[in-house]
Amino acid sequence: MPALNVEFSDRELEDLRQIAKERGTSMKALVREAAAADIARHRALQEGAEEFRRFFAAHADEFAAAFPEDEPVAPGRQGRVA
């Protein structure tokens, strides 16, 4: 399995040791769990943003009708984009 060396300050390392001890786990497992949780969070945010974009695109006309003041102004024109 690929590995990654990560450097921590003395304070961070001591904090990690303490947290691992409190949780009854190893520092390696603690750091791996934190990284895995951040990866899962990042993926979920990406998926949520993509779902929002799809929803917004599918309902663009409804949003435009409900919030006409938020419609972009056409470049070089006074009126709103049609």
Side-chain angles (χ1 to χ4, degrees):
M1 178 182 292
L4 173 68
N5 291 326
V6 180
E7 295 180 12
F8 295 98
S9 71
D10 291 340
R11 174 63 192 257
E12 291 167 334
L13 203 55
E14 185 55 38
D15 288 345
L16 285 171
R17 278 192 190 99
Q18 183 62 36
I19 293 167
K21 182 179 177 182
E22 289 171 7
R23 294 185 185 179
T25 191
S26 68
M27 289 176 44
K28 184 176 180 179
L30 179 69
V31 172
R32 186 177 188 301
E33 182 182 303
D38 197 51
I39 290 167
R41 178 182 166 276
H42 180 75
R43 286 181 183 155
L45 287 172
Q46 286 181 318
E47 291 169 7
E50 183 56 36
E51 184 62 31
F52 174 78
R53 284 190 284 276
R54 280 193 295 268
F55 179 83
F56 189 82
H59 299 277
D61 292 340
E62 295 166 61
F63 280 108
F67 306 102
E69 66 278 2
D70 291 335
E71 285 298 292
V73 175
R77 302 182 77 199
Q78 295 289 351
R80 301 284 180 192
V81 176

